[in-house]
């Protein structure tokens, strides 16, 4: 069965960077785009961006352009989300999700807390 | 595209039906609208895609309808496990966006 397993919770100081991983299994990794969605405490869901696992092409939310990078390692079926120059506004649960249109499978979520 | 969900909260009893609305600021092309269920501490779960197609394993008490700018999620005969927050999402253009959510709680 399709599984997306994410790395554990992170606590970072403002201005730092964080890198979250998402390991996919149960399907052919390079056939389906992986997206990232986040949810800040008490807020709704926000699309962060996607990466085409076949060729590494990416598309990011405009508000995060310049601070976000998504990469993938096809040898381990893993996608990475890196977010730099963190602020308290980046405190959220980050989910990796399968597909770039509607999201049919979700990782368990990774809580990233930005606090001094 | 901005999605506005209503009502913000729906208080109902098990066995009742729920009607949730999602209105788009402009027409959603191709009926590219999805619905998700979110429970505290859990990842969201896809319920409906293409405005009316149920995702794998979703019970038939969940149904979606609508087109253009007005979409509806109906939950007939609420079960105890259905009390949650529901989000709509469009994916007809980039960026995909979500509504702010409707909470269905127990009356």
């Amino acid at each position: 069965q399709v599984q997306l397993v994410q790395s554990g919770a992170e606590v970072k100081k403002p201005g730092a960077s964080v890198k979250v991983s998402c390991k996919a299994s149960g399907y052919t990794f390079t056939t389906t785009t992986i997206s990232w969605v986040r949810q800040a405490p008490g807020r709704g869901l926000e699309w962060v961006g996607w990466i085409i696992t076949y060729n590494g092409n990416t598309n990011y939310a405009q508000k995060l352009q310049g601070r976000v990078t998504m990469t993938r390692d096809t040898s381990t079926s893993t996608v990475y989300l890196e977010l730099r120059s963190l602020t308290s506004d980046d405190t959220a649960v980050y989910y990796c999700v399968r597909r770039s249109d509607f999201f049919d499978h979700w990782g368990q979520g990774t809580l990233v807390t930005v606090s001094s | 595209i901005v999605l506005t969900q209503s009502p913000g909260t729906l208080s109902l009893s098990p066995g009742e039906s729920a009607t949730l609305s999602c209105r788009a600021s402009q027409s959603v092309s191709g009926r590219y609208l999805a619905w998700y269920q979110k429970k505290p501490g859990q990842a969201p779960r896809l319920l409906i895609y293409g405005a009316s197609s149920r995702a794998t394993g979703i019970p038939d008490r969940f149904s979606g309808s609508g087109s253009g700018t007005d979409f509806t999620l109906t939950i007939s005969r609420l079960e105890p496990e259905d009390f949650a927050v529901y989000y709509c999402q469009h994916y007809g253009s980039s960026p995909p966006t979500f509504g702010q959510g409707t909470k269905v709680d127990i009356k």
Side-chain angles (χ1 to χ4, degrees), chain A residues 37 39 43-47 50 59 95 100-104 106-108, chain B residues 34 36 38 42-46 49 87 89 91 94-96 98-100:
Chain A
V37 172
Q39 184 172 36
R43 306 290 296 274
L45 299 166
E46 179 184 24
W47 175 76
W50 50 248
N59 183 25
Y95 296 99
S100 60
D101 41 18
F102 58 87
F103 309 125
D104 63 351
W106 295 64
Q108 83 275 20
Chain B
Y36 302 85
K38 174 77 168 68
Q42 296 184 20
R45 178 173 70 145
L46 175 68
Y49 63 94
Y87 293 94
Q89 175 232 340
Y91 52 95
S94 187
F98 294 86
Q100 82 280 17

Side-chain angles (χ1 to χ4, degrees), chain B residues 22-46:
Chain B
C22 176
R23 177 161 289 178
S25 60
Q26 55 188 278
S27 183
V28 175
S29 63
R31 302 180 78 226
Y32 292 145
L33 189 107
W35 290 92
Y36 302 85
Q37 178 191 68
K38 174 77 168 68
K39 296 179 181 179
Q42 296 184 20
R45 178 173 70 145
L46 175 68

